[in-house]
Amino acid sequence: MEFPPQTASGKVLWHFTMSLDGFVAGPGHSMDWLSGLTTRPGLIAEYTATTGAVLGGRAGWDKISGARPYGGAWAGPIFILTHHPEDATPTPGVTFLDCSAAEAVQIGLGAAAGKNLEVFSPTIGRQLLAEGLIDEIDIHVAPVLLGDGIRLYDNPGGTPIHLTPNAGVNLRYRPATGA
Ligand SMILES: NC(=O)c1ccc[n+]([C@@H]2O[C@H](COP(=O)([O-])OP(=O)(O)OC[C@H]3O[C@@H](n4cnc5c(N)ncnc54)[C@H](OP(=O)(O)O)[C@@H]3O)[C@@H](O)[C@H]2O)c1
């Protein structure tokens, strides 16, 4: 069965490429593990067309030093949550917000004008999940094991969050030759 493409309908999307062992960034927010990975054909076009705004956190933003999502192929508004917006480097198209995650979602959805708001942060996603404000978790599983880094969902002592899948998921891998 072909996987249905993403649709634009004002959803709050927790969207990540994730390693098989559940990391969305390596140690120190490194993202070099993504280079050389092939994605399904048309994936970038699918998300640049359906994304109206992006919400991220300051840690990730400071690490990528101004690089835009989707390799610059997407041109919409970006909102970055931080407790200290005053020391952020002003960047065209980027608004630094000091508010609750829920308020940031309201602002982001308003700016998304009917398209989706993509949440690019495990910490913000966790806050939104707790408030019932995530509509969809959209994950591309990359064929790589990182063993260390920033997990999609880290909540020690928390209770399990049950999810409704839109398709059955079975994965089978072999270590790449020379790995
Ligand atoms: N694999 C992928 O597809 C993908 C895509 C996008 C991003 N990423 C990566 O994901 C990682 C994100 O890491 P992360 O979640 O640990 O860091 P993060 O969300 O980028 O940053 C956490 C920071 O966000 C701010 N923040 C969070 N909630 C806040 C709130 N309610 N109010 C005010 N400020 C708030 C705080 O900044 P202050 O300390 O300034 O107050 C906090 O320290 C990055 O490494 C990024 O590169 C991966």
Side-chain angles (χ1 to χ4, degrees):
M1 187 183 79
E2 198 163 307
F3 197 71
Q6 186 51 259
T7 53
S9 57
K11 289 182 282 194
V12 179
L13 221 62
W14 204 13
H15 183 207
F16 277 113
T17 298
M18 185 182 78
S19 71
L20 180 61
D21 52 343
F23 294 97
V24 297
H29 294 275
S30 74
M31 297 302 296
D32 50 354
W33 53 279
L34 280 178
S35 65
L37 290 177
T38 48
T39 53
R40 75 167 185 265
L43 184 127
I44 301 287
E46 187 179 312
Y47 287 90
T48 52
T50 52
T51 302
V54 160
L55 172 62
R58 179 76 181 272
W61 176 256
D62 282 353
K63 274 288 170 188
I64 60 170
S65 27
R68 290 193 56 95
Y70 301 112
W74 175 82
I78 298 175
F79 298 92
I80 300 295
L81 261 181
T82 172
H83 295 98
H84 45 102
E86 64 285 351
D87 61 14
T89 306
T91 308
V94 180
T95 306
F96 296 93
L97 299 172
D98 181 9
C99 60
S100 70
E103 286 172 290
V105 159
Q106 286 314 309
I107 294 167
L109 280 177
K115 291 188 174 182
N116 300 330
L117 173 66
E118 297 216 332
V119 178
F120 278 167
S121 160
T123 52
I124 297 168
R126 194 180 63 228
Q127 296 167 56
L128 296 175
L129 203 54
E131 298 192 51
L133 291 173
I134 293 288
D135 293 315
E136 224 176 82
I137 304 174
D138 190 351
I139 299 292
H140 314 288
V141 178
V144 59
L145 294 166
L146 292 184
D148 192 6
I150 296 167
R151 290 191 179 281
L152 170 71
Y153 185 69
D154 229 347
N155 194 20
T159 50
I161 307 272
H162 294 278
L163 307 169
T164 306
N166 71 343
V169 178
N170 294 281
L171 302 170
R172 192 177 280 171
Y173 293 94
R174 284 175 288 114
T177 309

